[in-house]
Amino acid sequence: MRYTLFLIPLLVSSCFALKDQQSINQQEGYEAKVFDFKVVFFQNCIIENSKDKLCMREFVEHDSGVINQEHIEKKDINLIVKLASQVAVQVYQDSVNWTNEICKTCDEEILQRFRDAGMIGSSPIGTCLDYFQSPELDAIARANISKK
């Protein structure tokens, strides 16, 4: 009887501790899914901004062994690709605006040399990284990743 009084509170407290640990594990899993969503966006953003998309895709696929995409649903992948494409358009537009500001009197030949040298569309990594770290992408990821 004496041991029963000691064991019951111990058993109850261990059940609560187990439930708390499961909750913590679920939260950590959710955070990992959100992070993976954002990393997949970053990868797609870099691919969309690349001149040689096939080469960059192969590089990213080879380098992405630590990212688990299995829990990212097809609709979320489609959303990620659309977001990456929008960022690519913005990067290109920003660089065109920069070129037009710097080179107001340049002819088409000089502009083509800028394009060939990669000076138009030349800031994708920084832009993709800024968006990766943005509260906007975090909110989009959290809204689309289920907490299951």
Side-chain angles (χ1 to χ4, degrees), residues 27 30-35 37-38 135-147:
Q27 183 63 26
Y30 174 70
E31 292 300 324
K33 289 178 183 179
V34 169
F35 182 76
F37 182 100
K38 292 168 63 174
E136 181 181 358
L137 183 61
D138 194 64
I140 290 169
R142 290 179 187 285
N144 286 284
I145 298 293
S146 67
K147 288 191 175 187

PDB file of all heavy atoms in Angstrom, residues 27 30-35 37-38 135-147:
ATOM      1  N   GLN A  27       6.422  19.625 -32.488  1.00  0.00           N
ATOM      2  CA  GLN A  27       6.783  21.000 -32.825  1.00  0.00           C
ATOM      3  C   GLN A  27       8.110  21.043 -33.579  1.00  0.00           C
ATOM      4  O   GLN A  27       8.245  21.773 -34.563  1.00  0.00           O
ATOM      5  CB  GLN A  27       6.854  21.866 -31.557  1.00  0.00           C
ATOM      6  CG  GLN A  27       7.148  23.320 -31.814  1.00  0.00           C
ATOM      7  CD  GLN A  27       6.073  24.026 -32.633  1.00  0.00           C
ATOM      8  OE1 GLN A  27       4.910  23.638 -32.639  1.00  0.00           O
ATOM      9  NE2 GLN A  27       6.458  25.066 -33.336  1.00  0.00           N
ATOM     10  N   TYR A  30       7.485  19.891 -37.084  1.00  0.00           N
ATOM     11  CA  TYR A  30       6.808  20.948 -37.830  1.00  0.00           C
ATOM     12  C   TYR A  30       7.809  22.016 -38.269  1.00  0.00           C
ATOM     13  O   TYR A  30       7.805  22.450 -39.428  1.00  0.00           O
ATOM     14  CB  TYR A  30       5.697  21.555 -36.971  1.00  0.00           C
ATOM     15  CG  TYR A  30       5.023  22.751 -37.575  1.00  0.00           C
ATOM     16  CD1 TYR A  30       4.189  22.613 -38.678  1.00  0.00           C
ATOM     17  CD2 TYR A  30       5.222  24.025 -37.053  1.00  0.00           C
ATOM     18  CE1 TYR A  30       3.564  23.718 -39.242  1.00  0.00           C
ATOM     19  CE2 TYR A  30       4.605  25.126 -37.599  1.00  0.00           C
ATOM     20  CZ  TYR A  30       3.778  24.969 -38.695  1.00  0.00           C
ATOM     21  OH  TYR A  30       3.169  26.060 -39.251  1.00  0.00           O
ATOM     22  N   GLU A  31       8.676  22.429 -37.351  1.00  0.00           N
ATOM     23  CA  GLU A  31       9.691  23.443 -37.685  1.00  0.00           C
ATOM     24  C   GLU A  31      10.631  22.930 -38.773  1.00  0.00           C
ATOM     25  O   GLU A  31      11.028  23.688 -39.651  1.00  0.00           O
ATOM     26  CB  GLU A  31      10.479  23.853 -36.437  1.00  0.00           C
ATOM     27  CG  GLU A  31       9.671  24.611 -35.405  1.00  0.00           C
ATOM     28  CD  GLU A  31       9.084  25.915 -35.923  1.00  0.00           C
ATOM     29  OE1 GLU A  31       9.746  26.604 -36.732  1.00  0.00           O
ATOM     30  OE2 GLU A  31       7.961  26.241 -35.518  1.00  0.00           O
ATOM     31  N   ALA A  32      10.969  21.647 -38.736  1.00  0.00           N
ATOM     32  CA  ALA A  32      11.835  21.068 -39.770  1.00  0.00           C
ATOM     33  C   ALA A  32      11.129  21.088 -41.128  1.00  0.00           C
ATOM     34  O   ALA A  32      11.755  21.364 -42.153  1.00  0.00           O
ATOM     35  CB  ALA A  32      12.221  19.641 -39.389  1.00  0.00           C
ATOM     36  N   LYS A  33       9.816  20.811 -41.129  1.00  0.00           N
ATOM     37  CA  LYS A  33       9.051  20.850 -42.381  1.00  0.00           C
ATOM     38  C   LYS A  33       9.000  22.273 -42.942  1.00  0.00           C
ATOM     39  O   LYS A  33       9.122  22.470 -44.149  1.00  0.00           O
ATOM     40  CB  LYS A  33       7.633  20.334 -42.156  1.00  0.00           C
ATOM     41  CG  LYS A  33       7.560  18.850 -41.915  1.00  0.00           C
ATOM     42  CD  LYS A  33       6.122  18.434 -41.641  1.00  0.00           C
ATOM     43  CE  LYS A  33       6.010  16.968 -41.324  1.00  0.00           C
ATOM     44  NZ  LYS A  33       4.614  16.572 -41.046  1.00  0.00           N
ATOM     45  N   VAL A  34       8.803  23.254 -42.065  1.00  0.00           N
ATOM     46  CA  VAL A  34       8.783  24.657 -42.502  1.00  0.00           C
ATOM     47  C   VAL A  34      10.140  25.032 -43.094  1.00  0.00           C
ATOM     48  O   VAL A  34      10.218  25.655 -44.153  1.00  0.00           O
ATOM     49  CB  VAL A  34       8.399  25.599 -41.334  1.00  0.00           C
ATOM     50  CG1 VAL A  34       8.638  27.058 -41.691  1.00  0.00           C
ATOM     51  CG2 VAL A  34       6.940  25.379 -40.926  1.00  0.00           C
ATOM     52  N   PHE A  35      11.210  24.629 -42.423  1.00  0.00           N
ATOM     53  CA  PHE A  35      12.554  24.923 -42.915  1.00  0.00           C
ATOM     54  C   PHE A  35      12.788  24.261 -44.277  1.00  0.00           C
ATOM     55  O   PHE A  35      13.323  24.891 -45.193  1.00  0.00           O
ATOM     56  CB  PHE A  35      13.604  24.456 -41.901  1.00  0.00           C
ATOM     57  CG  PHE A  35      15.008  24.767 -42.327  1.00  0.00           C
ATOM     58  CD1 PHE A  35      15.504  26.062 -42.236  1.00  0.00           C
ATOM     59  CD2 PHE A  35      15.833  23.772 -42.828  1.00  0.00           C
ATOM     60  CE1 PHE A  35      16.804  26.360 -42.636  1.00  0.00           C
ATOM     61  CE2 PHE A  35      17.124  24.066 -43.232  1.00  0.00           C
ATOM     62  CZ  PHE A  35      17.610  25.353 -43.135  1.00  0.00           C
ATOM     63  N   PHE A  37      10.563  23.459 -46.516  1.00  0.00           N
ATOM     64  CA  PHE A  37       9.760  24.210 -47.490  1.00  0.00           C
ATOM     65  C   PHE A  37      10.556  25.423 -47.973  1.00  0.00           C
ATOM     66  O   PHE A  37      10.654  25.677 -49.175  1.00  0.00           O
ATOM     67  CB  PHE A  37       8.452  24.661 -46.820  1.00  0.00           C
ATOM     68  CG  PHE A  37       7.505  25.413 -47.710  1.00  0.00           C
ATOM     69  CD1 PHE A  37       6.412  24.774 -48.277  1.00  0.00           C
ATOM     70  CD2 PHE A  37       7.666  26.772 -47.962  1.00  0.00           C
ATOM     71  CE1 PHE A  37       5.507  25.465 -49.085  1.00  0.00           C
ATOM     72  CE2 PHE A  37       6.780  27.471 -48.763  1.00  0.00           C
ATOM     73  CZ  PHE A  37       5.704  26.813 -49.328  1.00  0.00           C
ATOM     74  N   LYS A  38      11.150  26.137 -47.035  1.00  0.00           N
ATOM     75  CA  LYS A  38      11.900  27.342 -47.382  1.00  0.00           C
ATOM     76  C   LYS A  38      13.165  27.009 -48.164  1.00  0.00           C
ATOM     77  O   LYS A  38      13.530  27.725 -49.106  1.00  0.00           O
ATOM     78  CB  LYS A  38      12.220  28.131 -46.112  1.00  0.00           C
ATOM     79  CG  LYS A  38      10.965  28.716 -45.466  1.00  0.00           C
ATOM     80  CD  LYS A  38      11.195  29.258 -44.084  1.00  0.00           C
ATOM     81  CE  LYS A  38      12.153  30.407 -44.049  1.00  0.00           C
ATOM     82  NZ  LYS A  38      12.273  31.018 -42.717  1.00  0.00           N
ATOM     83  N   PRO A 135       9.939  37.231 -43.359  1.00  0.00           N
ATOM     84  CA  PRO A 135       8.743  36.790 -42.635  1.00  0.00           C
ATOM     85  C   PRO A 135       7.627  36.360 -43.597  1.00  0.00           C
ATOM     86  O   PRO A 135       6.808  35.507 -43.257  1.00  0.00           O
ATOM     87  CB  PRO A 135       8.319  38.023 -41.838  1.00  0.00           C
ATOM     88  CG  PRO A 135       9.509  38.912 -41.790  1.00  0.00           C
ATOM     89  CD  PRO A 135      10.321  38.594 -43.011  1.00  0.00           C
ATOM     90  N   GLU A 136       7.615  36.925 -44.791  1.00  0.00           N
ATOM     91  CA  GLU A 136       6.587  36.577 -45.770  1.00  0.00           C
ATOM     92  C   GLU A 136       6.679  35.101 -46.165  1.00  0.00           C
ATOM     93  O   GLU A 136       5.676  34.383 -46.147  1.00  0.00           O
ATOM     94  CB  GLU A 136       6.717  37.458 -47.015  1.00  0.00           C
ATOM     95  CG  GLU A 136       5.685  37.175 -48.074  1.00  0.00           C
ATOM     96  CD  GLU A 136       5.848  38.046 -49.311  1.00  0.00           C
ATOM     97  OE1 GLU A 136       6.744  38.910 -49.342  1.00  0.00           O
ATOM     98  OE2 GLU A 136       5.071  37.853 -50.242  1.00  0.00           O
ATOM     99  N   LEU A 137       7.879  34.628 -46.515  1.00  0.00           N
ATOM    100  CA  LEU A 137       8.037  33.226 -46.887  1.00  0.00           C
ATOM    101  C   LEU A 137       7.772  32.326 -45.687  1.00  0.00           C
ATOM    102  O   LEU A 137       7.170  31.260 -45.827  1.00  0.00           O
ATOM    103  CB  LEU A 137       9.426  32.955 -47.463  1.00  0.00           C
ATOM    104  CG  LEU A 137       9.653  31.514 -47.937  1.00  0.00           C
ATOM    105  CD1 LEU A 137       8.676  31.158 -49.057  1.00  0.00           C
ATOM    106  CD2 LEU A 137      11.088  31.313 -48.388  1.00  0.00           C
ATOM    107  N   ASP A 138       8.196  32.744 -44.514  1.00  0.00           N
ATOM    108  CA  ASP A 138       7.940  31.965 -43.302  1.00  0.00           C
ATOM    109  C   ASP A 138       6.431  31.794 -43.091  1.00  0.00           C
ATOM    110  O   ASP A 138       5.954  30.695 -42.796  1.00  0.00           O
ATOM    111  CB  ASP A 138       8.585  32.646 -42.097  1.00  0.00           C
ATOM    112  CG  ASP A 138       8.640  31.731 -40.904  1.00  0.00           C
ATOM    113  OD1 ASP A 138       9.338  30.698 -40.975  1.00  0.00           O
ATOM    114  OD2 ASP A 138       7.975  32.037 -39.893  1.00  0.00           O
ATOM    115  N   ALA A 139       5.685  32.877 -43.262  1.00  0.00           N
ATOM    116  CA  ALA A 139       4.225  32.822 -43.093  1.00  0.00           C
ATOM    117  C   ALA A 139       3.583  31.932 -44.159  1.00  0.00           C
ATOM    118  O   ALA A 139       2.664  31.159 -43.853  1.00  0.00           O
ATOM    119  CB  ALA A 139       3.637  34.231 -43.154  1.00  0.00           C
ATOM    120  N   ILE A 140       4.071  32.005 -45.384  1.00  0.00           N
ATOM    121  CA  ILE A 140       3.531  31.161 -46.456  1.00  0.00           C
ATOM    122  C   ILE A 140       3.813  29.688 -46.142  1.00  0.00           C
ATOM    123  O   ILE A 140       2.929  28.835 -46.287  1.00  0.00           O
ATOM    124  CB  ILE A 140       4.139  31.559 -47.819  1.00  0.00           C
ATOM    125  CG1 ILE A 140       3.618  32.931 -48.247  1.00  0.00           C
ATOM    126  CG2 ILE A 140       3.821  30.507 -48.893  1.00  0.00           C
ATOM    127  CD1 ILE A 140       4.342  33.526 -49.441  1.00  0.00           C
ATOM    128  N   ALA A 141       5.025  29.397 -45.707  1.00  0.00           N
ATOM    129  CA  ALA A 141       5.373  28.012 -45.362  1.00  0.00           C
ATOM    130  C   ALA A 141       4.499  27.505 -44.225  1.00  0.00           C
ATOM    131  O   ALA A 141       3.949  26.398 -44.297  1.00  0.00           O
ATOM    132  CB  ALA A 141       6.846  27.923 -44.984  1.00  0.00           C
ATOM    133  N   ARG A 142       4.337  28.293 -43.180  1.00  0.00           N
ATOM    134  CA  ARG A 142       3.531  27.863 -42.026  1.00  0.00           C
ATOM    135  C   ARG A 142       2.055  27.695 -42.394  1.00  0.00           C
ATOM    136  O   ARG A 142       1.380  26.830 -41.864  1.00  0.00           O
ATOM    137  CB  ARG A 142       3.683  28.855 -40.876  1.00  0.00           C
ATOM    138  CG  ARG A 142       5.061  28.799 -40.268  1.00  0.00           C
ATOM    139  CD  ARG A 142       5.264  29.794 -39.140  1.00  0.00           C
ATOM    140  NE  ARG A 142       6.642  29.805 -38.729  1.00  0.00           N
ATOM    141  CZ  ARG A 142       7.223  28.869 -38.001  1.00  0.00           C
ATOM    142  NH1 ARG A 142       6.533  27.840 -37.589  1.00  0.00           N
ATOM    143  NH2 ARG A 142       8.491  28.966 -37.674  1.00  0.00           N
ATOM    144  N   ALA A 143       1.578  28.494 -43.311  1.00  0.00           N
ATOM    145  CA  ALA A 143       0.179  28.385 -43.734  1.00  0.00           C
ATOM    146  C   ALA A 143      -0.054  27.138 -44.588  1.00  0.00           C
ATOM    147  O   ALA A 143      -1.176  26.630 -44.630  1.00  0.00           O
ATOM    148  CB  ALA A 143      -0.231  29.631 -44.516  1.00  0.00           C
ATOM    149  N   ASN A 144       0.989  26.633 -45.231  1.00  0.00           N
ATOM    150  CA  ASN A 144       0.819  25.503 -46.149  1.00  0.00           C
ATOM    151  C   ASN A 144       1.287  24.175 -45.597  1.00  0.00           C
ATOM    152  O   ASN A 144       0.926  23.134 -46.142  1.00  0.00           O
ATOM    153  CB  ASN A 144       1.534  25.800 -47.465  1.00  0.00           C
ATOM    154  CG  ASN A 144       0.784  26.808 -48.281  1.00  0.00           C
ATOM    155  OD1 ASN A 144      -0.223  26.496 -48.897  1.00  0.00           O
ATOM    156  ND2 ASN A 144       1.227  28.055 -48.236  1.00  0.00           N
ATOM    157  N   ILE A 145       2.083  24.169 -44.555  1.00  0.00           N
ATOM    158  CA  ILE A 145       2.567  22.925 -43.957  1.00  0.00           C
ATOM    159  C   ILE A 145       1.614  22.553 -42.822  1.00  0.00           C
ATOM    160  O   ILE A 145       1.374  23.348 -41.923  1.00  0.00           O
ATOM    161  CB  ILE A 145       4.004  23.073 -43.413  1.00  0.00           C
ATOM    162  CG1 ILE A 145       4.976  23.405 -44.540  1.00  0.00           C
ATOM    163  CG2 ILE A 145       4.432  21.827 -42.662  1.00  0.00           C
ATOM    164  CD1 ILE A 145       5.185  22.310 -45.546  1.00  0.00           C
ATOM    165  N   SER A 146       1.105  21.319 -42.872  1.00  0.00           N
ATOM    166  CA  SER A 146       0.199  20.886 -41.808  1.00  0.00           C
ATOM    167  C   SER A 146       1.006  20.489 -40.571  1.00  0.00           C
ATOM    168  O   SER A 146       2.146  20.062 -40.669  1.00  0.00           O
ATOM    169  CB  SER A 146      -0.657  19.723 -42.277  1.00  0.00           C
ATOM    170  OG  SER A 146       0.142  18.588 -42.498  1.00  0.00           O
ATOM    171  N   LYS A 147       0.390  20.627 -39.410  1.00  0.00           N
ATOM    172  CA  LYS A 147       1.068  20.324 -38.145  1.00  0.00           C
ATOM    173  C   LYS A 147       0.943  18.854 -37.738  1.00  0.00           C
ATOM    174  O   LYS A 147       1.293  18.491 -36.645  1.00  0.00           O
ATOM    175  CB  LYS A 147       0.516  21.197 -37.024  1.00  0.00           C
ATOM    176  CG  LYS A 147       0.939  22.628 -37.136  1.00  0.00           C
ATOM    177  CD  LYS A 147       0.613  23.385 -35.886  1.00  0.00           C
ATOM    178  CE  LYS A 147       1.141  24.795 -35.955  1.00  0.00           C
ATOM    179  NZ  LYS A 147       0.994  25.532 -34.727  1.00  0.00           N
TER     180      LYS A 147
END
